[in-house]
Amino acid sequence: MTTTLVKMVSITKRFPGVTANSGINFELRPGEIHALLGENGAGKSTLMNILTGLYMPDEGEIYIRGARVKLTSPRDAIEAGIGMVHQHFRLVQTFSVAENVIMGSGDQGFFLNMQEVEDKLARFSGEYGINVMPGSKIWQLSVGEQQRVEIVKMLYRGTDIMILDEPTAVLTPQESRELFATLRRMADMGKGIIVISHKIQEVLENADRITVLRDGRYVDTFSGKDTDSRKLTMAMVDRDISYGQNISSKPKDDFILCLKGLTVLGDRGQKALKSLDLNLRKGEILGIAGVAGNGQKELAEVIAGLREEAAGEIEVRGERFTGRSARRMIDAGISLIPEDRLGTGLVGSLNILENSILKKYRSGDISTGWFISWKRVREYAHRLVEKFDVKTTGVEAPVRLLSGGNLQKLLLAREISNDPDVIVAVYPVRGLDVGAIEFVRNTLLRQRENGKGIILISEELEELFMLSDRVAVMHEGEIMGILDREEIDLERVGRMMAGEREEGSHERTAVR
Amino acid sequence: MSGLPLGRNRVITLEKRGGFSRGVALLVPVFSIVCAVIGGGLFLLAAGYDPVEIYLTMLSGVFGSAYGLSETVVKTIPLLLCGLAVSVAFRMQLWNIGAEGQLYMGAVAASWVALFHGEGSPVVVIALMLLAGAAAGALWGLIPAIPRALFKVNETITTLMLNYVAILFSDYLVYGPWKDPKGMNFPLSAVFPDSAILPHFGDTRIHLGLVFGLIAAVLLYIVLWHTKWGYEVRVIGESPVAARYAGMNIARNILLVMALSGGLAGIAGMAEVSGITQRLQPNLSSGYGYTAIIVAWLGRLNPFAIIGVSFLMAGLLVGGYNMQMSGLPAAIVSILQGAILFFILGGDILTKYRIRIKNTRGIEVAE
């Protein structure tokens, strides 16, 4: 038996404007669980899409079981024994488990021999301890069970290089434990398993080796036994972080937004926020650090009135605002700069005029009675475009033709000109170029000077440390700790991001 | 890579076009109509008919006589009203396939006014009929809108199913309780009193419903592009996520839009009974509610374009009758109408997409 199943050597993949992978090395041995660790956008998925034949690398070589291969299509990868469980399962909801398993495997003739398939599935459950009911329909199964079907599908095709993309993102802790037990048994049978993850703790507990990627580059490969969460955090996030300190004014003492014991359910009914306490003051930027997917999205949505509270209270300027609609929250002066500018924040097919009044169209400045005065809208939109220097071919052009930076400028212009008291900015610089990033950050700082309260959700620690008065670290829907500007320390933040709670650095509710 | 396989490593795919010039946008429909005429002509030749003669019959039937032209306008009225009805719903991504049923309910309600409260001043009676027709259509549109707004029940199926309920309900009335005792047992209601009949233009069959349709188109344009509510409808149609983010109440707008949609179709039903049949009878509509779907799409959901398209579509219907009268089998007429629609819709797709042949590695080969 060869000692490596997969060897990827200096893989480079460029997309227009970005280099997603740059000279990445990766190696998978039979019998190991190998974690691929990195933040969003670190290049994990691109690398695995290359291994599964979805993308062709621009440079670099791939060896499977020692032989150099060229994977030009997913079919090539399947034939080479490579299989992947995507985050979004590729199952036909109305088909049975057995029907899904044989789909695309190509080993059945015109007539299906379901008995044979079921026998094979029974054998897998004996060998690997994966139980699936061949006759059940997919829609009847829980998410964890559906994931098992995906794994069985790979086993049925004889896959021995298995890739799982964020497999525990959809699972409960118990299901996650079961999953890793199964993966371990499969590894013991000589299969190689790659787990894409951004959860440090999970990776430490379960992986034999851990390869860390950052910004599309290879950082290092660690042995699971000889590393710890601190080392992994340091590898995942940028080391040289500047702690910019040129903010003069102090936040005021009065709270503008208070979250008390807030519990919120996520899209799959899991608790996305668990009894969370957080206070925001006037003239403060409160940074929210944490690996994406730990409740940040739900936090922003519940404040904006887009998601219901399961328990707890929201107070705006000391007044109870629990369970209010998005419209009431807008009227209460809360502005959300959403993660996806085009789609949520702006409507791509509508023009700048129409987008500029998305939240203002009800107000008397723009409309008289039932009617919208397009003349006034035009003046208003021109003011926004001029003041925020939005580069455009004209206010009547659909906004989807604008560049990312100009979209964000238009969005910020609209939100800020509504003069909100609270601004919740979710990944506001994601995907922007340097100039636009500068512009967004300066805009937020100016709003802080104007006495607004700003919640800044970001995945860039550098940005958070530079702009925030305080940084709260989220992990699995809870605040692990809150650090004041003077206390900010990469190692402490890193530990909290990995799920270590810091007692004593929590929200001292309203007793300042 | 998705697409139609074409030999080894090649696929044909449709790709969204960016903008294109106004000239092209105008040229394409003309070109598709020419293609349709040629395609249909080849088919007629193959079936052993003289295409030139057939086309001339068709044209003269529609435009060659005052009667033909007036018949075309008569058919334009329900198509226009239903086309507008369907277009508002479509604009909000509500697939209202139920204009046919909403039309029938409007006709039934208007007939009820005419038959039981029809004596009096024509202005009052007709206004009441209009209101009743619009209300009944709106109600019929609201029924599927409620489960859609609250539980996301697919409105395509519910609106379609309610068509059968409405049509059979109307049939029940004319075969049963509303059957004219003096009607020699025909399934027809009594003739409406004069005060319940829409005025006609001159001695044609064109009735006041045309004005209803034209006013509705203008009002719809104003509502959609110049009111706050119309703005909400357009935003929700383009991006429900953004609408929710902006604090718009989507459920409420689903109810309002479906009521408006049903109401417009209901007016079409009222106009048909009050202007054309002047009594309630089976087969009131020759599928206007369904043809309206094509009308709305071809008109790109634009109220003014829908006026033009419904006139053309009416011409196609009337032309079809004429060809049948000149001895062409009904089936061939239907095939010809289908072929013409096929080419027009095809041309429509080609203005939005371009066809590309790609090899499976995504590199362009030819256009």
Side-chain angles (χ1 to χ4, degrees):
Chain A
M1 191 186 253
T2 46
T3 50
T4 61
L5 275 176
V6 176
K7 195 165 178 198
M8 299 175 85
V9 184
S10 55
I11 298 289
T12 297
K13 175 74 190 173
R14 294 183 204 90
F15 291 110
V18 273
T19 305
N21 282 173
S22 151
I24 291 182
N25 297 314
F26 181 79
E27 184 203 64
L28 179 71
R29 298 181 192 143
E32 77 167 342
I33 297 182
H34 194 140
L36 198 54
L37 185 69
E39 294 207 292
N40 284 340
K44 298 168 297 195
S45 300
T46 307
L47 188 68
M48 289 302 110
N49 282 335
I50 289 171
L51 188 54
T52 50
L54 238 55
Y55 298 151
M56 294 272 289
D58 295 327
E59 287 161 33
E61 291 148 24
I62 303 173
Y63 299 86
I64 306 285
R65 294 177 204 85
R68 177 143 186 217
V69 291
K70 238 184 150 73
L71 303 169
T72 54
S73 75
R75 177 130 312 261
D76 289 354
I78 291 168
E79 276 161 14
I82 300 168
M84 181 155 173
V85 178
H86 292 90
Q87 258 189 63
H88 301 283
F89 303 143
R90 314 274 155 104
L91 297 170
V92 181
Q93 293 287 320
T94 51
F95 277 20
S96 74
V97 170
E99 284 164 337
N100 268 285
V101 166
I102 58 169
M103 205 167 33
S105 65
D107 67 339
Q108 294 276 337
F110 185 72
F111 293 102
L112 301 175
N113 183 350
M114 284 322 242
Q115 191 52 47
E116 192 191 354
V117 177
E118 290 183 17
D119 290 348
K120 221 164 162 183
L121 294 188
R123 218 178 62 230
F124 291 146
S125 83
E127 274 176 46
Y128 304 103
I130 310 184
N131 289 311
V132 286
M133 303 278 288
S136 326
K137 304 274 189 248
I138 297 300
W139 59 267
Q140 299 170 316
L141 304 181
S142 74
V143 183
E145 288 170 314
Q146 294 188 19
Q147 191 176 54
R148 262 178 272 159
V149 177
E150 284 278 19
I151 293 173
V152 167
K153 209 162 98 183
M154 288 199 292
L155 290 173
Y156 186 87
R157 292 179 184 178
T159 304
D160 54 4
I161 298 164
M162 296 191 171
I163 307 165
L164 294 99
D165 189 359
E166 304 275 0
T168 59
V170 293
L171 300 182
T172 64
Q174 293 83 342
E175 284 176 322
S176 302
R177 270 199 299 280
E178 274 172 44
L179 169 71
F180 277 108
T182 310
L183 293 181
R184 178 57 65 194
R185 268 193 296 275
M186 295 196 300
D188 289 344
M189 309 277 291
K191 296 188 183 296
I193 293 166
I194 303 170
V195 175
I196 302 178
S197 179
H198 58 236
K199 296 184 183 168
I200 295 170
Q201 215 49 46
E202 162 186 305
V203 158
L204 271 173
E205 281 164 21
N206 297 298
D208 300 306
R209 288 196 298 159
I210 301 156
T211 292
V212 180
L213 302 185
R214 186 181 68 222
D215 296 335
R217 276 170 225 284
Y218 171 83
V219 180
D220 206 350
T221 299
F222 300 88
S223 155
K225 287 183 202 67
D226 309 330
T227 189
D228 53 47
S229 63
R230 200 188 60 85
K231 278 188 203 156
L232 290 181
T233 313
M234 298 294 267
M236 263 172 85
V237 299
D238 221 320
R239 242 163 279 245
D240 4 291
I241 288 184
S242 60
Y243 301 82
Q245 291 275 4
N246 36 22
I247 297 170
S248 48
S249 65
K250 277 259 167 216
K252 306 234 171 49
D253 269 348
D254 28 354
F255 292 134
I256 191 158
L257 175 75
C258 297
L259 311 180
K260 294 179 175 167
L262 205 58
T263 299
V264 169
L265 301 184
D267 290 336
R268 295 182 308 276
Q270 85 286 14
K271 278 188 183 168
L273 297 183
K274 298 170 192 159
S275 189
L276 181 125
D277 292 307
L278 206 59
N279 296 323
L280 179 69
R281 287 172 294 174
K282 284 188 181 172
E284 174 182 57
I285 296 184
L286 172 59
I288 306 284
V291 176
N294 274 290
Q296 293 94 325
K297 175 173 156 252
E298 288 82 0
L299 176 67
E301 287 180 356
V302 74
I303 296 172
L306 293 170
R307 194 175 279 274
E308 251 176 83
E309 304 88 348
E313 300 275 330
I314 295 180
E315 284 179 6
V316 181
R317 292 178 294 265
E319 205 183 312
R320 193 166 168 274
F321 260 82
T322 315
R324 299 297 170 86
S325 66
R327 168 132 183 224
R328 297 294 296 276
M329 291 319 241
I330 294 168
D331 293 344
I334 290 181
S335 153
L336 172 67
I337 316 276
E339 186 179 349
D340 57 330
R341 289 152 213 151
L342 208 55
T344 305
L346 298 165
V347 184
S349 51
L350 298 186
N351 61 29
I352 292 184
L353 294 178
E354 290 160 324
N355 272 289
S356 69
I357 56 165
L358 193 62
K359 288 185 177 174
K360 217 183 172 59
Y361 69 99
R362 306 179 195 98
S363 96
D365 317 348
I366 291 302
S367 53
T368 332
W370 289 8
F371 292 91
I372 290 177
S373 158
W374 288 108
K375 190 168 151 271
R376 272 179 275 167
V377 173
R378 195 173 291 273
E379 289 163 12
Y380 175 69
H382 274 295
R383 274 207 307 280
L384 291 188
V385 166
E386 250 163 61
K387 207 166 139 202
F388 280 77
D389 191 30
V390 182
K391 300 265 185 311
T392 161
T393 50
V395 289
E396 310 237 13
V399 298
R400 71 181 135 78
L401 301 178
L402 296 179
S403 72
N406 282 308
L407 282 174
Q408 190 69 321
K409 279 183 182 176
L410 179 64
L411 184 53
L412 276 172
R414 185 187 73 206
E415 291 303 315
I416 284 165
S417 62
N418 286 343
D419 197 26
D421 287 343
V422 175
I423 298 170
V424 182
V426 188
Y427 307 124
V429 301
R430 189 187 265 177
L432 300 187
D433 60 51
V434 186
I437 289 176
E438 197 65 26
F439 184 91
V440 171
R441 287 179 181 166
N442 286 335
T443 307
L444 290 178
L445 282 174
R446 228 177 12 256
Q447 291 305 305
R448 176 189 173 282
E449 297 290 312
N450 289 345
K452 314 284 184 202
I454 297 167
I455 292 182
L456 172 62
I457 297 176
S458 172
E459 51 202 357
E460 285 187 41
L461 290 180
E462 182 178 7
E463 172 178 79
L464 285 174
F465 294 175
M466 207 165 70
L467 301 178
S468 309
D469 295 290
R470 292 186 300 153
V471 172
V473 185
M474 279 186 84
H475 178 259
E476 294 192 348
E478 292 178 90
I479 303 281
M480 293 290 111
I482 302 175
L483 299 179
D484 278 330
R485 188 172 188 80
E486 304 79 51
E487 310 173 296
I488 289 174
D489 171 82
L490 177 61
E491 271 194 39
R492 282 173 80 184
V493 171
R495 275 204 301 274
M496 290 193 276
M497 278 171 70
E500 230 175 274
R501 187 181 289 275
E502 263 200 29
E503 299 305 334
S505 65
H506 276 270
E507 198 66 83
R508 288 149 290 224
T509 324
V511 288
R512 277 174 179 270
Chain B
M1 179 95 7
S2 62
L4 188 69
L6 179 79
R8 200 179 141 73
N9 284 340
R10 296 255 174 115
V11 285
I12 301 180
T13 56
L14 285 181
E15 212 175 71
K16 245 193 168 138
R17 272 179 203 266
F20 47 84
S21 68
R22 256 204 145 77
V24 175
L26 283 172
L27 217 69
V28 167
V30 174
F31 184 68
S32 4
I33 288 172
V34 171
C35 283
V37 169
I38 294 171
L42 288 175
F43 171 77
L44 286 172
L45 264 181
Y49 295 92
D50 177 6
V52 178
E53 192 194 316
I54 301 268
Y55 281 133
L56 282 178
T57 322
M58 188 174 169
L59 274 180
S60 69
V62 180
F63 302 110
S65 68
Y67 176 75
L69 204 59
S70 102
E71 274 311 284
T72 303
V73 175
V74 164
K75 299 252 178 280
T76 304
I77 297 167
L79 284 177
L80 171 57
L81 280 161
C82 289
L84 293 172
V86 168
S87 77
V88 218
F90 282 8
R91 190 165 279 286
M92 232 178 77
Q93 321 242 350
L94 291 168
W95 310 118
N96 178 14
I97 311 297
E100 185 82 355
Q102 291 144 15
L103 179 147
Y104 269 91
M105 290 315 275
V108 165
S111 301
W112 177 78
V113 172
L115 292 171
F116 301 101
H117 305 279
E119 301 296 340
S121 139
V123 176
V124 175
V125 173
I126 285 173
L128 278 177
M129 286 171 75
L130 188 66
L131 269 179
L139 184 75
W140 215 242
L142 265 178
I143 294 171
I146 293 167
R148 164 62 212 257
L150 298 182
F151 314 113
K152 299 204 164 117
V153 176
N154 188 325
E155 75 285 0
T156 319
I157 293 165
T158 49
T159 51
L160 177 66
M161 290 303 155
L162 283 172
N163 285 347
Y164 301 109
V165 178
I167 293 168
L168 291 172
F169 177 62
S170 156
D171 281 359
Y172 158 76
L173 290 174
V174 290
Y175 280 96
W178 288 6
K179 186 156 67 179
D180 184 4
K182 288 168 276 180
M184 294 181 291
N185 220 17
F186 279 112
L188 305 165
S189 78
V191 176
F192 294 169
D194 287 346
S195 52
I197 290 170
L198 281 174
H200 289 71
F201 294 98
D203 51 4
T204 64
R205 297 215 306 155
I206 302 172
H207 52 84
L208 198 64
L210 179 65
V211 178
F212 296 167
L214 295 175
I215 291 177
V218 174
L219 282 182
L220 198 59
Y221 171 80
I222 294 174
V223 165
L224 282 174
W225 275 276
H226 291 280
T227 68
K228 293 193 267 190
W229 182 58
Y231 174 74
E232 285 193 5
V233 169
R234 287 191 297 131
V235 171
I236 295 172
E238 295 294 343
S239 170
V241 188
R244 220 168 81 79
Y245 161 76
M248 296 174 186
N249 186 334
I250 294 178
R252 188 176 134 244
N253 278 310
I254 290 177
L255 300 181
L256 287 173
V257 161
M258 281 299 288
L260 175 62
S261 177
L264 285 168
I267 293 175
M270 176 270 172
E272 281 301 288
V273 286
S274 176
I276 301 295
T277 61
Q278 305 179 3
R279 56 173 17 141
L280 191 63
Q281 63 177 55
N283 304 319
L284 258 182
S285 151
S286 50
Y288 296 131
Y290 299 111
T291 312
I293 297 168
I294 306 169
V295 170
W297 270 132
L298 285 179
R300 301 257 166 91
L301 310 185
N302 178 312
F304 296 131
I306 288 173
I307 299 177
V309 173
S310 49
F311 180 73
L312 286 179
M313 199 62 81
L316 203 55
L317 290 177
V318 173
Y321 295 133
N322 269 293
M323 287 190 282
Q324 276 183 57
M325 280 189 282
S326 71
L328 206 62
I332 293 206
V333 173
S334 297
I335 290 174
L336 202 58
Q337 286 171 340
I340 293 173
L341 274 180
F342 177 85
F343 277 103
I344 294 174
L345 284 170
D348 193 52
I349 284 175
L350 289 183
T351 56
K352 287 186 205 139
Y353 298 90
R354 64 175 93 228
I355 295 178
R356 275 171 191 255
I357 300 172
K358 293 179 171 181
N359 71 16
T360 39
R361 278 161 63 185
I363 300 157
E364 205 170 300
V365 177
E367 212 176 294

